[in-house]
Amino acid sequence: MVVFAAAAAMGMAAIGQARADVTDQLLDQLRAKGVLTRGEYSKLKTRHAAEKAEMGRPRHYSKDGVVVVPDDRYLTRLDKGIGFHIPGLVTKEGEVGAIDVKISGDLVFGADETFDAYAGGNRNATSHMTGGLVTASPNQPYNSIQAGLLPSAIVLSIATNQMGYDLGFTIGAYTGGNNVYPNSANANGGGSPVALGTPGIDLRQVFGTVGTPTFGSVKIGRDLGLFGSDAILNDATLLGLGSPLTTNAPSNTSLGRIGVGYVYADWIPQVTYTTPDFNGFTASIGAFTPLDSTGGIYTSTTYTGHELPQVQAQIKWKGNIAPGVGLTLSGDGVWQQQKNDPATGSEIFGPTGTSANSWGVDGFGKLDVAGFSFVAYGYYGEGLGTTGLFLSGFDSFGDPRKSEGGYVQGSYTWDKFTFGASWGVSQLNPTAAEWSIGTADGLVKDNESIIGFARYQLTPWMALQAEFGHTWATNWGGYKLSEDDIWLGTAWFF
């Protein structure tokens, strides 16, 4: 009985992670008092030595949110996503650091009802609504089961360190789930709700990174642009619908606030450098593939000549200004030279070799305090266009149009519930030439919307979101289109 009591005492000590010398002293005293035989003492000392060695090994540690354990082969638990860790090794080519592999993704899907569509105002200005984002027919409701602003995705990320350099690779495949009708926008064009169709695969993300903690990092490949990136990443409709554009023939995604508060950041091939984090401050600058400047049927020059890369830059600060009060501030810039290219026939809109500059600047702020979150964003540009980069940015003479817009958003989170609302507008301005020749009336003046939403976090991976949105578009001639939408959907993230 005494031996069993001693063994139990040692077990309790091990469970409680008692000091190793206490257990050793207890064994020594039991041996000295004759309670343990020489064989029992030796066996227990050997066993306890092995337990001490095992207890001395680190059970796990955290690296970039990944729980890492020291076995040769194992799965790791992530806060988000699923992954595994491959230990480092030495080859004849040199040392290869440990490799972390992460698979993450999302599913954003729901039901949209577009109703109460309206058309009215100046009937003499109805021939065109170039750039308008309301497409519903008056008195004709539409329904669809579709993706929201964020398409569903599967994303693979790999990270390692070799020869002192942090290396990363990411590739992401996205789909909206509805049938697509290939056009100039590929999977993001208008949908095709007919039998025997297939959804589009939008392989929008493939890039690598290389850097060090002191140098910063360089991104090479296709990823989200810098200009307007904070605007879309903090848009609450990212988990919902926002403005649908085409409920009767759903596209790969809805618009959210794209074109009704900001210009789409887009996914663009790039080489971008980002500085190290200096007390919450970072700066980025990159060279991007130039994009054609295109627009409406009769009101916009098409520029397709690209002698120089598109340039984008961003400065950002993120931190706490008081206990429990978070603040994010950022500003972006974009510039691209536009030029007529005879090889594409674009010179029919203007003299061969005509060139102009497209540029834009923006500002973003987000304040988080006591469950409340407030977002404010604004942008301005010339030749920047509306909805997408450089879309409808120039008139038929090659002169740049001015555009501006922004949105405000507020929300409150209580337990698993989040409630919020936002308002946003994007405006496009005719040039002096368009006013003089009488073609300004058909150009969109404003795309505007008001959106309210409620979200319930059902599980750590799954949320339910309901939205009501009212979207309207007005041209410079006074003609107006509007529609209402109700969205009930879900957003899964793993």
Side-chain angles (χ1 to χ4, degrees):
M1 292 295 293
V2 175
V3 173
F4 290 124
M10 287 186 292
M12 292 295 291
I15 293 173
Q17 295 184 357
R19 293 180 181 274
D21 59 341
V22 174
T23 304
D24 287 329
Q25 289 175 9
L26 177 60
L27 289 172
D28 292 341
Q29 290 176 8
L30 291 175
R31 174 71 182 92
K33 292 179 179 182
V35 176
L36 298 175
T37 66
R38 182 185 297 274
E40 291 171 335
Y41 174 77
S42 176
K43 183 177 180 180
L44 289 173
K45 287 285 282 187
T46 301
R47 177 180 173 183
H48 185 56
E51 290 175 345
K52 289 192 294 181
E54 176 65 21
M55 291 174 62
R57 296 176 62 195
R59 299 307 303 167
H60 64 269
Y61 64 94
S62 178
K63 179 182 179 182
D64 298 331
V66 179
V67 177
V68 180
V69 294
D71 303 287
D72 288 340
R73 294 187 178 92
Y74 51 83
L75 293 179
T76 61
R77 180 179 63 82
L78 310 180
D79 294 334
K80 291 288 186 180
I82 303 168
F84 59 90
H85 175 86
I86 304 172
L89 52 90
V90 177
T91 68
K92 62 182 180 180
E93 288 82 14
E95 182 178 351
V96 179
I99 300 173
D100 292 309
V101 179
K102 176 182 177 181
I103 300 174
S104 59
D106 67 88
L107 171 70
V108 179
F109 237 86
D112 170 42
E113 182 76 18
T114 298
F115 62 98
D116 201 22
Y118 165 84
N122 184 0
R123 295 292 178 179
N124 294 323
T126 62
S127 59
H128 293 279
M129 179 74 84
T130 303
L133 299 180
V134 175
T135 59
S137 300
N139 304 315
Q140 174 59 60
Y142 296 109
N143 179 274
S144 65
I145 309 298
Q146 66 172 79
L149 170 56
L150 186 67
S152 301
I154 188 77
V155 180
L156 170 68
S157 299
I158 302 174
T160 187
N161 184 283
Q162 296 179 9
M163 300 175 62
Y165 294 98
D166 294 320
L167 303 178
F169 170 80
T170 298
I171 186 169
Y174 297 76
T175 180
N178 290 91
N179 295 348
V180 298
Y181 186 83
N183 56 27
S184 61
N186 299 314
N188 287 330
S192 177
V194 298
L196 306 181
T198 60
I201 301 299
D202 180 6
L203 201 63
R204 61 174 62 177
Q205 191 177 39
V206 54
F207 66 88
T209 57
V210 57
T212 69
T214 55
F215 169 77
S217 65
V218 176
K219 178 190 298 181
I220 306 170
R222 182 185 179 105
D223 196 25
L224 191 68
L226 298 173
F227 184 80
S229 58
D230 279 333
I232 190 170
L233 293 176
N234 291 276
D235 181 358
T237 67
L238 200 63
L239 305 184
L241 181 80
S243 297
L245 187 61
T246 54
T247 307
N248 61 321
S251 302
N252 201 37
T253 71
S254 63
L255 288 175
R257 287 211 161 277
I258 297 172
V260 280
Y262 51 83
V263 175
Y264 186 36
D266 221 320
W267 304 79
I268 313 173
Q270 59 188 270
V271 178
T272 298
Y273 166 72
T274 299
T275 68
D277 188 314
F278 298 108
N279 297 318
F281 174 83
T282 58
S284 302
I285 187 168
F288 293 70
T289 288
L291 302 177
D292 292 351
S293 173
T294 61
I297 297 173
Y298 76 109
T299 58
S300 179
T301 292
T302 299
Y303 280 128
T304 58
H306 308 303
E307 297 178 340
L308 298 171
Q310 177 189 152
V311 178
Q312 294 192 22
Q314 180 183 82
I315 56 173
K316 178 185 288 190
W317 183 85
K318 183 176 182 179
N320 293 325
I321 56 176
V325 181
L327 179 65
T328 302
L329 299 172
S330 69
D332 306 325
V334 58
W335 173 88
Q336 181 179 303
Q337 182 192 61
Q338 311 285 1
K339 194 169 185 178
N340 270 338
D341 181 2
T344 66
S346 63
E347 73 277 10
I348 62 175
F349 297 98
T352 299
T354 298
S355 65
N357 292 318
S358 292
W359 61 269
V361 293
D362 70 5
F364 171 87
K366 181 182 180 184
L367 179 68
D368 296 297
V369 54
F372 290 94
S373 180
F374 303 97
V375 171
Y377 173 80
Y379 72 91
Y380 175 83
E382 295 186 11
L384 178 66
T386 189
T387 305
L389 288 169
F390 319 129
L391 297 184
S392 297
F394 293 83
D395 68 13
S396 56
F397 302 98
D399 297 325
R401 296 175 177 138
K402 298 178 181 179
S403 55
E404 63 270 335
Y407 76 94
V408 290
Q409 175 181 286
S411 64
Y412 176 71
T413 299
W414 174 74
D415 194 21
K416 294 185 176 183
F417 292 92
T418 300
F419 306 92
S422 64
W423 166 87
V425 62
S426 288
Q427 185 175 79
L428 189 63
N429 299 279
T431 64
E434 288 175 307
W435 283 116
S436 66
I437 63 175
T439 60
D441 284 359
L443 185 68
V444 67
K445 178 181 179 183
D446 300 307
N447 283 307
E448 197 166 354
S449 70
I450 297 175
I451 298 169
F453 69 92
R455 184 185 310 136
Y456 178 71
Q457 195 71 40
L458 183 65
T459 76
W461 281 14
M462 180 180 179
L464 306 174
Q465 181 146 318
E467 282 183 12
F468 171 79
H470 176 65
T471 305
W472 65 99
T474 306
N475 69 12
W476 285 92
Y479 185 60
K480 178 180 178 181
L481 299 172
S482 69
E483 65 186 26
D484 293 336
D485 289 274
I486 292 178
W487 160 272
L488 297 174
T490 181
W492 301 56
F493 289 89
F494 70 89

